[in-house]
Amino acid sequence: MLEHLDLNALIATYGYWVIFVGCLLEGETVLILGGMAAHQGNLEWPQVISVATLGGILGDQLLFWTGRYSGARVLPRLKRHQAAIERVKGLIERYPLTSVFAVRFLYGMRLVGPMVIGASGLAPWRFALLNVLGAAVWAMLFVGAGYWAGEALQHFFGDLKPYRLPIFLGVVALLGLAALVRHLRNRRKTKTS
């Protein structure tokens, strides 16, 4: 059944859209896969970085404005993320401008960070400028990591074309396993609280 799946055509057709949507949300895994696709010649490296940067900027801007106008109502409802919210609040108090740039690189703060920053009252133009810079650096780093991973895999396995589908399925399986582990940990934490 899967032998008729043309993964190259799917990546070439929908790859940039997947990267854009993935970067609106979390993005790191999608960026690494995008970098690997660029290494294999299925996507263009500069376009992957551009689309990823745009998705990262737009996603964080939307979250910032959500925090700015609805933060007082929304943030207390995010019970699972209260530890991350408190960490971001502490960062903003000590390093307001640096936190805008750094929050996208800190595990567990990618989604709540911009909302907390929006609720903090930071000037929108400052957030926008630092958000653009942070998104560009973030996209270059993770796409570069994916490109390097593609290079390393090619070094070990040679031509990766026969392995594209297993690599893709392996990454999906690892993401599913990571999500399951995270879900079970959060469930355990709520039971002990």
Side-chain angles (χ1 to χ4, degrees):
M1 176 175 112
L2 292 177
E3 61 270 1
H4 300 295
L5 180 68
D6 186 0
L7 197 57
N8 293 339
L10 285 173
I11 293 170
T13 304
Y14 301 108
Y16 296 113
W17 284 107
V18 169
I19 289 168
F20 179 76
V21 171
C23 290
L24 282 172
L25 305 170
E26 289 280 346
E28 286 82 3
T29 305
V30 172
L31 286 180
I32 290 171
L33 290 174
M36 290 176 73
H39 179 268
Q40 293 300 303
N42 292 321
L43 299 174
E44 296 295 322
W45 193 75
Q47 282 94 332
V48 172
I49 290 175
S50 298
V51 168
T53 301
L54 185 61
I57 291 168
L58 183 60
D60 283 6
Q61 284 297 140
L62 291 171
L63 291 167
F64 173 84
W65 288 104
T66 299
R68 185 125 177 129
Y69 290 110
S70 305
R73 286 190 328 261
V74 173
L75 291 174
R77 293 181 186 171
L78 300 174
K79 304 256 186 257
R80 280 187 15 210
H81 301 285
Q82 287 306 311
I85 290 170
E86 293 305 317
R87 286 176 58 198
V88 173
K89 283 181 180 178
L91 279 173
I92 294 168
E93 288 172 9
R94 289 185 302 241
Y95 316 104
L97 299 180
T98 306
S99 64
V100 174
F101 180 83
V103 77
R104 79 177 59 248
F105 295 97
L106 301 174
Y107 180 76
M109 296 187 198
R110 173 79 163 83
L111 295 176
V112 297
M115 278 197 287
V116 175
I117 294 168
S120 76
L122 184 72
W125 67 270
R126 284 188 180 185
F127 179 82
L129 288 175
L130 292 167
N131 185 32
V132 168
L133 178 63
V137 170
W138 173 76
M140 284 188 269
L141 285 175
F142 281 97
V143 171
Y147 196 91
W148 178 82
E151 182 72 32
L153 287 171
Q154 186 171 344
H155 177 73
F156 287 114
F157 296 111
D159 184 19
L160 293 178
K161 287 181 184 173
Y163 304 110
R164 285 183 183 159
L165 185 58
I167 289 171
F168 176 75
L169 294 175
V171 169
V172 169
L174 284 173
L175 288 175
L177 181 63
L180 178 64
V181 167
R182 184 183 298 172
H183 172 73
L184 293 174
R185 281 185 185 165
N186 287 338
R187 220 167 119 191
R188 193 175 337 135
K189 283 181 185 177
T190 29
K191 283 184 179 180
T192 59
S193 306

